[in-house]
């Protein structure tokens, strides 16, 4: 990934964290569906989505729209891959859904924003609790594991 894209993603993530409820950061690590290190925007879902829900608050949807617009201005043909993740707790507030379905619906909600922004190559995957980035034994670790990751892949 180009240095310019990494700088844009980092600046956008910092702006999102400052202006929105959802903390955002850029990380570089191996992804479940590729194995190669990719620069990734990570959005914590505790403030992006209500517990047991996959719809955005209006404010947070506006932040994700701004992120999509920033990326589209520089890379309108980029491939966007969205991964939804949960912690290891079973879902109790919406018992008819499991962690895999919840993570898929949240990834689809983010995907819909990118499609509405004009991207045509957008993928969404619900990973459930299978790929934690922290321990599920602590409150902080569970919070870190409840996230949506947005990978921007440049295309020529």
């Amino acid at each position: 990934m180009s240095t310019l894209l990494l700088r844009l993603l980092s600046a956008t993530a910092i702006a999102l964290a400052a202006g929105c409820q959802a903390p955002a950061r850029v990380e570089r690590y191996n992804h479940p569906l590729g194995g190669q290190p990719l620069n990734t925007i990570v959005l914590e879902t505790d403030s992006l989505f209500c517990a047991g829900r996959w719809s955005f608050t209006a404010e947070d949807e506006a932040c994700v729209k701004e992120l999509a617009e920033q990326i589209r201005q520089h890379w309108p043909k980029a491939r966007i891959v969205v991964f939804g993740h949960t912690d290891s707790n079973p879902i109790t507030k919406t018992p008819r859904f499991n962690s895999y379905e919840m993570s898929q619906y949240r990834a689809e909600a983010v995907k819909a924003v990118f499609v509405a922004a004009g991207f045509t190559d957008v993928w969404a995957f619900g990973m459930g609790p299978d790929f934690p980035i922290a321990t599920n034994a602590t409150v902080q670790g569970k919070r870190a594991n409840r996230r949506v990751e947005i990978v921007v892949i440049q295309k020529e």
Side-chain angles (χ1 to χ4, degrees):
M1 179 173 285
S2 75
T3 305
L4 177 60
L5 178 57
L6 180 57
R7 273 190 249 142
L8 171 69
L9 295 180
S10 296
T12 303
I14 291 166
L16 279 171
C20 298
Q21 302 255 339
R25 64 189 183 279
V26 174
E27 294 186 355
R28 184 171 176 82
Y29 54 88
N30 294 344
H31 274 273
L33 297 180
Q36 62 187 12
L38 297 170
N39 293 311
T40 305
I41 298 173
V42 180
L43 302 174
E44 293 180 11
T45 60
D46 279 3
S47 54
L48 192 62
F49 300 100
C50 294
R53 303 278 186 251
W54 57 85
S55 57
F56 295 111
T57 64
E59 178 181 297
D60 289 325
E61 183 172 8
C63 290
V64 177
K65 284 180 183 177
E66 177 62 26
L67 172 63
E69 283 299 320
Q70 289 292 322
I71 295 168
R72 191 177 65 77
Q73 286 177 14
H74 295 279
W75 295 278
K77 296 182 191 249
R79 171 175 290 153
I80 306 297
V81 185
V82 182
F83 296 93
H85 298 271
T86 62
D87 62 24
S88 61
N89 286 353
I91 295 173
T92 57
K93 294 190 184 227
T94 312
R96 65 179 182 261
F97 296 109
N98 64 39
S99 294
Y100 298 97
E101 292 167 321
M102 183 64 69
S103 63
Q104 181 69 39
Y105 291 141
R106 288 179 173 179
E108 292 287 343
V110 173
K111 173 186 172 181
V113 172
F114 277 83
V115 170
F119 287 95
T120 57
D121 191 1
V122 186
W123 298 79
F125 299 95
M127 308 308 286
D130 291 343
F131 297 94
I133 57 172
T135 180
N136 276 303
T138 66
V139 172
Q140 296 86 0
K142 287 181 183 188
R143 185 177 303 121
N145 290 330
R146 293 188 298 267
R147 67 197 187 280
V148 172
E149 300 169 344
I150 303 167
V151 179
V152 180
I153 301 170
Q154 288 177 247
K155 293 178 2 183
E156 300 301 321

